[in-house]
Amino acid sequence: MQTILHHNGSGSAAYTSTLKRREVHRAITLHPVKDHRQMYRLHTYFKMQTILHHNGSGSAAYTSTLKRREVHRAITLHPVKDHRQMYRLHTYFKNLRIQELKERSLDLHRDIAASVQELGVDADKVEDYVLPGGEPLFPHKMGEDGYLGNNRILGAPISMNRFKADDVEDIVHFDFISKSIYSISHSNPKRRIESPLKEALDDVIREVMEIINAPSRQRGRVIDFNELLYGYTRLQPLHGADHALDLLLKYRRYRGRKMTAAVRRHAYLQQSFTGTEIRELPIGEPPPPEDPAILEQVEGVEYEDFDEPREQQGFLERLDVRGALESGLMRIHSNLPKVLQWSGGELEYPLYDRRIHFIMPLSGRQETFGRFMKNYEDIVLKTDQAVSLIIVLYLDSKNPLDYVNTQSLVKYYTDMYGKDIRIIQMGPTTFSRGAALTEGLKLCQDDDLIFFIDVDMMFNHLSLRRIRINTIKYTQVYFPIVFSEFNPDVVNGEDYNKFKDEILIADDDIEKFVEEEEETPKTERELADLKYSTEINDENGYFRQYGFGILGLYKCDFMRVGGFDLNIKGWGMEDVQLFETLIKSNLTVYRTADDSLVHKFHSVDCDKNLEKSQFLMCLGTKASTYGSDKHMAYYMLNHQEVLWPQEQHNDNEQDKTNAEDVDKKEVKEKGAS
């Protein structure tokens, strides 16, 4: 291994001769170096890693991105006073090590693939190939511990032509990158570079520069990255990402004749996918160490030193380790899911019987609430689902009768089914969604599963199943990406779906093959699920990727992160703030598109008295829910006066005529003078 502190006994002549020696190259630090000129010479020769990199940001040290050159080149980092940041650093560098090992594994797979190809082994027989001496090349098969992966995929050579399309439509096109990104496959052909792509390019460029600078010590030069001039990128779902980048670099030679020059370098790169890894997590994780219930158990325990062996036995006896161990094991056993318990009994964990507590803020909109209650009746009340509903009701000054009618409707369903539907009456209080949800949570216990829902949502039995599965106490919160419907007047309007005066003729001559087999009769549950679902396509709506108001989590997790910011009033922002808080916490935020949750269209009125950020978000939501790009294109082509208003055109012509008359008059006056 390397020498941490190499000592040279030559006194003032230490390291003044040639540095191309093994003991010098194997040392991390060199001692003694008393001459600043020799120190500079050593630093120039090695460009060695920083053994103790100091960050002067105080408590904010290393809290931002770790993808920086000084962090990657440092051996140790100082100061790190927060144990959470230490864990973050540890995880980051372990991930870099994992990435390095995966890259090494890919290189070995490629070497194996090239070798067996030279030996004339058929690609289908590589997995079962036996080396001389009876040793199998891949001793473990798929599904066994130690399986090395599919060599046919992982061993594919690096090439931009891995995937050969059978049809023109299957060609994966490159996107052009400059100051913006240009794409033929995106609805917006020119757009800003998204954060995930920008981060990916930064990672790729950093690794390229590390490869370029790997022989810098031997060659006496350093090449620094300056900027990305342009590039091309694409993602092949089967193999990985391809990049072709034009880099502007700065070349600096520090040995011999020193020089600095700007150079360009083309880099053709491929980020290969590795094997898919699946990890199964048990449902029902134990509470975190900082949970108050656990802290209470350890209060009062006096800790003593174990330096003297004679005291150890007596201390352990006083602690009653055996009794505590048995008690702890029984406590763990009682908290485990039934499928993991070691005693007899049923082996099924009652996952699908968990009660979900819907919390819904409501102000006015009695007609929309009636539609929601019909959905709730068909999915929950009629099928006796383990779901409770808490309504936080505000008085809408514009529709005061809705307040009474909503209470009457709830009483009707409560009397008919006898189920748990509760109302929190907020009266004429100023509406705040965050405050409303917080009030609803007061009626729930710490271990209750909570789901924040809006009155415009449609759901079915599949929605309830996904809420129960994807929300894990102490571990994971569920942010579904719901499908939001466009304005039905736009979806079904002629101006938005065909050119003006265009007659669409249906081709009745096309034969349609219909299966003659009788369809299996659907159950009432299946019919209800179909009733409260919609056709998912680009013309009916879109998945609201930036909507964070629909959320499933446990109350104890909500309280641990601090809840909503109750200073936010009016429309929006409270869900974004909570999402950012949860991202920064130790909880996993799980997001996925859920086609069973459908947001029904309704017009959005943006109050101009809102904060600027809230008002802009409201306008963005209003515009995005109006219609698709196709609908807007048809409308603009059918109503060109929107793009080129006639009145403005006439005004411009009149201004031009007036300007010409003035010019002619000025010319005549000059001629007369």
Side-chain angles (χ1 to χ4, degrees):
M1 72 175 48
Q2 290 179 294
T3 307
I4 293 181
L5 190 63
H6 180 266
H7 182 82
N8 188 303
S10 303
S12 60
Y15 310 113
T16 55
S17 60
T18 178
L19 298 175
K20 297 180 180 178
R21 292 180 294 167
R22 184 177 64 177
E23 58 269 23
V24 174
H25 278 251
R26 293 182 61 184
I28 294 177
T29 57
L30 300 173
H31 177 78
V33 184
K34 299 180 179 180
D35 190 339
H36 68 278
R37 293 171 296 183
Q38 293 301 327
M39 179 66 76
Y40 179 77
R41 177 171 172 259
L42 283 166
H43 176 72
T44 305
Y45 177 75
F46 278 107
K47 285 293 180 180
M48 56 181 12
Q49 291 178 293
T50 309
I51 190 171
L52 192 63
H53 181 267
H54 181 82
N55 188 303
S57 304
S59 60
Y62 310 112
T63 55
S64 60
T65 178
L66 299 175
K67 296 179 179 179
R68 293 181 296 170
R69 185 174 63 179
E70 56 268 25
V71 174
H72 278 249
R73 293 180 60 183
I75 295 175
T76 58
L77 300 173
H78 175 78
V80 184
K81 299 181 179 179
D82 191 339
H83 68 279
R84 293 170 295 185
Q85 294 302 327
M86 179 65 76
Y87 179 79
R88 177 170 172 257
L89 283 166
H90 177 76
T91 303
Y92 178 72
F93 283 106
K94 283 292 185 183
N95 287 335
L96 291 180
R97 178 59 178 162
I98 292 172
Q99 179 180 338
E100 181 183 341
L101 293 175
K102 285 184 176 292
E103 291 174 357
R104 178 60 179 155
S105 174
L106 280 177
D107 291 337
L108 293 174
H109 270 288
R110 290 172 186 143
D111 292 342
I112 292 172
S115 300
V116 295
Q117 185 178 4
E118 290 295 329
L119 294 173
V121 180
D122 188 78
D124 296 331
K125 299 179 180 179
V126 172
E127 298 288 338
D128 301 322
Y129 185 74
V130 179
L131 299 171
E135 184 68 23
L137 180 60
F138 292 94
H140 302 284
K141 304 302 178 186
M142 184 180 295
E144 299 177 358
D145 292 338
Y147 176 62
L148 299 176
N150 188 345
N151 183 257
R152 193 164 190 172
I153 296 177
L154 301 180
I158 300 177
S159 172
M160 292 291 188
N161 298 318
R162 280 185 177 183
F163 174 72
K164 295 180 174 57
D166 297 328
D167 197 286
V168 176
E169 296 179 354
D170 296 333
I171 296 176
V172 182
H173 298 279
F174 278 96
D175 294 340
F176 177 71
I177 303 171
S178 183
K179 300 300 181 184
S180 303
I181 181 170
Y182 302 82
S183 173
I184 65 171
S185 59
H186 196 274
S187 57
N188 186 4
K190 178 186 175 182
R191 61 193 189 280
R192 66 177 182 84
I193 301 177
E194 295 93 345
S195 297
L197 178 58
K198 188 176 186 303
E199 184 175 353
L201 291 175
D202 290 342
D203 292 343
V204 168
I205 292 173
R206 187 185 64 252
E207 292 186 24
V208 169
M209 298 311 300
E210 289 178 358
I211 295 172
I212 293 176
N213 285 314
S216 292
R217 183 183 302 176
Q218 292 79 9
R219 299 181 182 180
R221 55 92 174 131
V222 171
I223 300 177
D224 295 325
F225 172 72
N226 194 353
E227 66 172 319
L228 174 64
L229 296 178
Y230 67 88
Y232 299 88
T233 183
R234 69 178 177 185
L235 177 63
Q236 294 185 13
L238 183 61
H239 297 290
D242 296 334
H243 308 283
L245 307 177
D246 186 6
L247 308 175
L248 179 61
L249 311 174
K250 181 181 291 185
Y251 174 90
R252 293 188 293 111
R253 187 167 64 191
Y254 55 83
R255 187 184 303 164
R257 183 184 175 187
K258 298 179 177 58
M259 65 171 293
T260 302
V263 296
R264 291 175 64 179
R265 179 81 174 263
H266 283 184
Y268 299 91
L269 311 161
Q270 190 168 72
Q271 291 179 293
S272 297
F273 290 143
T274 58
T276 302
E277 297 182 4
I278 300 175
R279 184 177 62 170
E280 224 174 299
L281 296 175
I283 298 176
E285 292 291 328
E290 65 270 19
D291 190 88
I294 292 182
L295 295 178
E296 289 177 2
Q297 297 173 11
V298 298
E299 285 182 358
V301 177
E302 297 180 0
Y303 295 97
E304 299 182 11
D305 293 333
F306 287 85
D307 294 338
E308 300 182 10
R310 291 174 299 173
E311 299 295 329
Q312 292 187 21
Q313 184 64 29
F315 175 65
L316 293 175
E317 289 176 353
R318 287 197 299 274
L319 279 182
D320 190 14
V321 173
R322 180 180 180 84
L325 180 62
E326 291 177 352
S327 174
L329 288 175
M330 293 308 297
R331 190 181 300 111
I332 293 173
H333 172 263
S334 62
N335 290 333
L336 281 174
K338 291 184 179 179
V339 70
L340 299 178
Q341 293 183 7
W342 52 82
S343 61
E346 299 179 359
L347 297 178
E348 182 180 358
Y349 183 59
L351 171 66
Y352 304 111
D353 295 334
R354 286 180 176 176
R355 177 165 293 277
I356 304 173
H357 297 265
F358 280 4
I359 301 180
M360 184 177 68
L362 182 63
S363 177
R365 307 188 64 189
Q366 199 272 332
E367 183 178 351
T368 306
F369 177 69
R371 181 186 65 195
F372 175 85
M373 287 306 301
K374 182 60 180 174
N375 183 181
Y376 189 80
E377 178 187 18
D378 292 341
I379 301 299
V380 175
L381 300 179
K382 289 184 178 179
T383 58
D384 198 22
Q385 287 286 318
V387 178
S388 300
L389 178 60
I390 300 173
I391 304 165
V392 185
L393 185 60
Y394 286 79
L395 176 63
D396 184 7
S397 58
K398 297 179 181 179
N399 301 287
L401 292 179
D402 289 352
Y403 194 79
V404 179
N405 293 336
T406 298
Q407 297 180 61
S408 301
L409 186 61
V410 171
K411 186 177 185 303
Y412 165 78
Y413 282 108
T414 304
D415 294 342
M416 177 176 290
Y417 293 98
K419 298 298 181 181
D420 186 17
I421 304 176
R422 289 172 284 180
I423 295 181
I424 300 177
Q425 299 181 16
M426 303 296 290
T429 310
T430 303
F431 179 80
S432 170
R433 189 172 184 273
L437 295 173
T438 304
E439 287 295 324
L441 279 165
K442 293 179 180 179
L443 300 183
C444 303
Q445 303 298 320
D446 287 347
D447 292 334
D448 286 346
L449 172 57
I450 312 298
F451 190 71
F452 299 151
I453 195 168
D454 288 341
V455 70
D456 302 295
M457 295 301 303
M458 285 197 313
F459 65 95
N460 56 31
H461 294 98
L462 186 58
S463 309
L464 305 180
R465 182 176 184 271
R466 289 173 176 169
I467 294 169
R468 293 183 175 110
I469 290 176
N470 295 326
T471 311
I472 305 174
K473 185 164 60 173
Y474 304 123
T475 304
Q476 180 171 288
V477 297
Y478 178 45
F479 272 96
I481 304 175
V482 304
F483 185 78
S484 186
E485 289 186 342
F486 288 138
N487 188 341
D489 295 336
V490 172
V491 173
N492 302 316
E494 291 189 357
D495 276 356
Y496 301 91
N497 291 279
K498 68 181 185 67
F499 292 116
K500 188 179 292 185
D501 300 327
E502 179 184 5
I503 300 176
L504 299 179
I505 302 175
D507 191 353
D508 297 331
D509 297 333
I510 299 177
E511 296 183 0
K512 297 181 180 179
F513 297 94
V514 181
E515 296 182 1
E516 296 180 357
E517 298 180 1
E518 295 182 359
E519 294 184 359
T520 305
K522 290 182 171 57
T523 62
E524 292 186 5
R525 183 188 180 108
E526 292 173 338
L527 291 173
D529 288 343
L530 288 174
K531 180 180 178 181
Y532 296 103
S533 59
T534 189
E535 184 179 357
I536 307 296
N537 58 48
D538 293 336
E539 296 185 13
N540 286 346
Y542 70 104
F543 281 103
R544 188 174 289 191
Q545 182 180 357
Y546 298 104
F548 307 103
I550 309 302
L551 164 64
L553 81 172
Y554 282 84
K555 180 182 176 180
C556 55
D557 293 330
F558 179 85
M559 302 307 295
R560 284 175 61 215
V561 300
F564 287 111
D565 182 358
L566 299 182
N567 294 322
I568 299 176
K569 303 296 182 182
W571 188 94
M573 281 299 293
E574 81 290 330
D575 51 353
V576 178
Q577 294 280 4
L578 179 62
F579 179 78
E580 292 178 350
T581 302
L582 290 169
I583 285 289
K584 296 175 183 177
S585 72
N586 60 349
L587 295 169
T588 299
V589 175
Y590 182 67
R591 299 217 76 197
T592 186
D594 191 341
D595 58 354
S596 68
L597 288 170
V598 179
H599 184 275
K600 301 295 289 184
F601 173 82
H602 65 89
S603 59
V604 178
D605 296 325
C606 299
D607 187 357
K608 294 183 179 180
N609 296 322
L610 291 170
E611 294 289 336
K612 182 178 179 180
S613 57
Q614 290 177 277
F615 183 68
L616 292 176
M617 288 177 61
C618 182
L619 290 179
T621 301
K622 183 175 183 178
S624 60
T625 57
Y626 190 70
S628 67
D629 296 339
K630 171 192 167 184
H631 295 139
M632 297 302 100
Y634 271 115
Y635 185 83
M636 290 298 181
L637 293 172
N638 288 330
H639 298 272
Q640 298 184 17
E641 67 274 7
V642 176
L643 295 175
W644 301 282
Q646 190 66 28
E647 294 181 2
Q648 181 180 355
H649 177 72
N650 294 337
D651 292 343
N652 292 338
E653 291 292 334
Q654 185 64 38
D655 294 340
K656 183 178 179 181
T657 303
N658 294 337
E660 291 176 351
D661 293 341
V662 171
D663 292 340
K664 291 178 181 179
K665 182 178 180 181
E666 290 179 355
V667 170
K668 289 181 179 179
E669 290 177 352
K670 288 180 180 179
S673 62

